Amino acid sequence: VQELTEKGVVSPEKAASSPYSHVLTRALGKAELVAVDTLVFEILPGDRFLICCDGLSSKANPKELERSLSLAQLDVSAEKLVNEAKVRDGSDNITAVVVGVAEQVPAAVQARSQE
């Protein structure tokens, strides 16, 4: 349904109730050739990435995501997001992984990169 929304076929308001909302157009599986979506961008110190299923992304709003991802501990961020999604509607599977980029490069890594 996201692809249909991006193409203007389905409005964002109707996307949530679309009968196609759980149809997969990309998946890893048994096929030899798989179409993979990629994106190249700069990663900066302190960046955080949320990898989650639609059971979480469909229940959270951007402000909640930002608030939870700004917590100091990554595991606490993920747990908070999952718990908030469960409170809203725990009928779908809910998975979240939060990955952070170090603010500073550890001295041991700096020393190795200078050799």
Side-chain angles (χ1 to χ4, degrees):
V1 82
Q2 181 64 36
E3 289 178 14
L4 294 174
T5 304
E6 289 171 2
K7 292 177 182 175
V9 175
V10 175
S11 71
E13 296 77 27
K14 292 189 178 184
S17 61
S18 170
Y20 303 107
S21 63
H22 286 58
V23 173
L24 298 177
T25 59
R26 301 278 194 287
L28 298 177
K30 297 179 183 181
E32 279 189 44
L33 298 174
V34 178
V36 178
D37 295 328
T38 61
L39 177 65
V40 177
F41 56 93
E42 185 176 6
I43 297 174
L44 301 172
D47 281 351
R48 290 195 173 184
F49 298 91
L50 169 63
I51 304 164
C52 67
C53 65
D54 65 336
L56 188 144
S57 64
S58 64
K59 306 294 182 249
N61 68 50
K63 287 287 185 202
E64 290 173 328
L65 293 174
E66 184 178 342
R67 224 180 5 258
S68 294
L69 292 172
S70 68
L71 296 173
Q73 294 178 302
L74 301 179
D75 58 338
V76 173
S77 293
E79 185 176 351
K80 182 172 174 47
L81 289 166
V82 169
N83 288 336
E84 287 173 356
K86 282 181 184 178
V87 167
R88 285 193 175 75
D89 175 19
S91 64
D92 197 356
N93 61 324
I94 304 168
T95 305
V97 176
V98 178
V99 179
V101 179
E103 292 283 346
Q104 297 179 347
V105 178
V109 174
Q110 282 181 347
R112 273 186 268 151
S113 66
Q114 293 173 357
E115 293 174 354

